Amino acid sequence: MDQSGKNSNLIKDSNRLADFTDQVLNGKLEKVESNVDGELLGLEETILRLKSSIPSTPLDQAAIKQMQVRLKTRIQREAREVQPPFWKKWIEIVSRPQLGMAFAVALVLVVLVIFSPSLSTAGPAPLTGTALAPSSTKNILIVSIAAGVMLIFFWMKRPK
Amino acid sequence: MLYSTGSDAIFNHINPFTPLLTTNYMENISKQIYQEASDEILIQQYKAGSQDAFDVLYQRHLPGVYKRVRCVIPENDVEDVTQDVFIAALKSLSSFRGDSQFRTWLRTLTNHKVAEFYRKRTRKQEPLLAPLSEASGRMEGATSQVLEERIFIQNALKKLPENYREIILLRFAEDMQFNEIAELTHQNLEASKSLFRRAIAALRNHLDE
């Protein structure tokens, strides 16, 4: 048989197998057609095996609802189990208005303490005869700022 | 946002007297509207914060996803893998741009989850197919012969090249007609039928091994 004849036979077989599959899946055929032989017969047998082994009973509404409930339960359980990463927690804390404000105030105060020239020991020598030496002034200021920040923090965390 | 509750914008848009109505009544009406809405509208509503929209999408597409998964995954794991598909869909739906149909997108997601299932099993060195005794516990009414045959065919399907397996699943699991398959795969009808015949021939060879 020449190439074109072979091709036309394959096309014919493909069409017949497709028609056979349609009829089997529509429930119109339950066994191989009697007028086929050779390879097509084997392919039709495979179609019948597939049809009988692939579950055909559709999900009913009750089963769908039950599965939906189980899906939601699993989503909720997984959401509880998954811990957010540290940076996410940190952003969450800072993005709360009260805590964010406290953090910002503390940050500004720390920057002031570090960079304020009057609090710095570097530079020109301190005036003699002042009541307190600059280093002790600084220490008192730092302690009071820390106490202030802690007070703000405890005030925020107070039971409401 | 993962499965969050939110306002049903579609309903608010339709009914300007929303505050006068009870919540239950509103929910029922919005669910009815959603039932008739297209996938695209439901996705938009989900993105706008409506959980009901995703519920309808889930109910609409669950049977198809479940049947496809059931064709290739051992019976005991079918529901877990189906859940994996919808959880993945929930997580990435906000980035779904609608370049393809939702059903096509969900099909790709299903194939990924099925592949992931087998990858994990291989890594854990678990048997690729569940023992017959396990499967029979889940399937009332199915004879052991039917179960054995199903496991045998699942194994053969798994060995097929992806395009062969896909065309068999589209026809058998999703009940798509050959002209629909041709449209989906951007082939002509003759090419689709020819691919199907070759896929069945390859499957037969694996079953005969």
Side-chain angles (χ1 to χ4, degrees):
Chain A
M1 193 185 290
D2 64 350
Q3 192 62 37
S4 64
K6 222 179 209 176
N7 283 344
S8 99
N9 273 353
L10 285 176
I11 291 169
K12 217 183 276 174
D13 281 359
S14 299
N15 285 330
R16 284 189 73 167
L17 187 69
D19 290 343
F20 177 79
T21 307
D22 289 342
Q23 291 188 54
V24 167
L25 290 176
N26 290 336
K28 290 177 186 164
L29 268 178
E30 287 178 353
K31 56 182 183 180
V32 291
E33 290 177 303
S34 55
N35 57 344
V36 293
D37 52 9
E39 200 197 343
L40 196 57
L41 180 71
L43 298 182
E44 288 188 356
E45 282 169 356
T46 309
I47 294 289
L48 289 174
R49 280 179 78 177
L50 261 175
K51 165 77 166 67
S52 62
S53 73
I54 284 179
S56 54
T57 43
L59 283 173
D60 57 20
Q61 275 306 311
I64 290 174
K65 293 266 180 207
Q66 283 169 3
M67 287 179 72
Q68 194 163 15
V69 169
R70 288 197 288 269
L71 175 73
K72 286 182 181 181
T73 310
R74 179 173 158 189
I75 289 169
Q76 284 164 1
R77 193 184 62 232
E78 285 181 1
R80 275 196 305 271
E81 283 169 1
V82 173
Q83 290 290 322
F86 172 75
W87 60 268
K88 232 177 186 174
K89 273 188 195 168
W90 178 245
I91 286 175
E92 209 172 278
I93 289 169
V94 174
S95 62
R96 283 186 216 156
Q98 290 176 329
L99 288 176
M101 182 61 82
F103 178 73
V105 168
L107 198 69
V108 167
L109 290 173
V110 167
V111 169
L112 273 176
V113 167
I114 294 170
F115 293 105
S116 172
S118 63
L119 297 172
S120 171
T121 51
L127 288 171
T128 54
T130 48
L132 293 165
S135 60
S136 59
T137 311
K138 188 182 174 184
N139 287 341
I140 290 169
L141 199 66
I142 289 172
V143 170
S144 24
I145 287 167
V149 169
M150 280 173 75
L151 273 175
I152 292 171
F153 183 75
F154 283 121
W155 181 75
M156 302 287 188
K157 287 276 181 186
R158 77 191 190 284
K160 288 162 193 157
Chain B
M1 177 188 61
L2 189 65
Y3 224 75
S4 65
T5 54
S7 64
D8 295 341
I10 193 170
F11 183 80
N12 293 339
H13 177 71
I14 289 165
N15 193 332
F17 305 108
T18 302
L20 301 175
L21 300 170
T22 62
T23 313
N24 283 346
Y25 180 75
M26 276 169 56
E27 279 174 6
N28 288 339
I29 296 283
S30 68
K31 275 179 188 166
Q32 277 175 22
I33 294 169
Y34 284 155
Q35 293 294 345
E36 289 157 23
S38 68
D39 286 352
E40 288 72 27
I41 289 177
L42 290 172
I43 291 163
Q44 280 174 17
Q45 291 309 307
Y46 171 72
K47 285 180 181 178
S50 168
Q51 183 190 321
D52 287 346
F54 187 80
D55 286 350
V56 175
L57 273 175
Y58 176 81
Q59 286 167 12
R60 191 177 286 174
H61 292 283
L62 174 67
V65 171
Y66 186 78
K67 197 171 177 192
R68 173 176 268 262
V69 172
R70 213 174 170 193
C71 288
V72 285
I73 293 283
E75 196 64 26
N76 277 358
D77 299 299
V78 171
E79 189 171 343
D80 282 346
V81 175
T82 307
Q83 282 185 354
D84 288 345
V85 172
F86 282 98
I87 289 172
L90 263 173
K91 283 179 180 166
S92 47
L93 201 54
S94 52
S95 60
F96 175 72
R97 290 175 303 170
D99 295 340
S100 61
Q101 282 187 346
F102 179 68
R103 193 179 174 190
T104 310
W105 184 73
L106 207 54
R107 188 180 296 125
T108 310
L109 218 53
T110 308
N111 288 345
H112 284 162
K113 288 294 161 190
V114 168
E116 192 179 290
F117 169 83
Y118 281 112
R119 257 200 318 274
K120 279 182 185 167
R121 279 222 155 182
T122 314
R123 219 178 293 146
K124 286 182 191 168
Q125 295 184 325
E126 286 177 21
L128 288 179
L129 293 166
L132 197 57
S133 55
E134 268 182 39
S136 59
R138 284 275 189 115
M139 299 172 65
E140 290 164 22
T143 63
S144 61
Q145 206 178 350
V146 170
L147 289 173
E148 210 167 311
E149 175 76 346
R150 189 174 298 172
I151 291 168
F152 194 48
I153 285 182
Q154 275 182 356
N155 204 13
L157 276 171
K158 206 161 59 59
K159 287 178 189 165
L160 289 179
E162 200 181 333
N163 59 339
Y164 283 2
R165 185 172 54 242
E166 190 59 29
I167 198 165
I168 291 174
L169 290 178
L170 287 173
R171 186 66 192 97
F172 279 85
E174 297 197 28
D175 293 326
M176 284 179 84
Q177 301 299 314
F178 283 104
N179 56 349
E180 293 171 321
I181 294 172
E183 202 178 318
L184 182 79
T185 53
H186 307 294
Q187 287 180 319
N188 62 40
L189 184 60
E190 207 171 79
S192 291
K193 288 181 177 177
S194 168
L195 179 66
F196 180 73
R197 180 185 50 75
R198 283 181 278 131
I200 295 295
L203 181 70
R204 187 181 171 223
N205 286 340
H206 284 301
L207 291 173
D208 288 346
E209 274 172 7

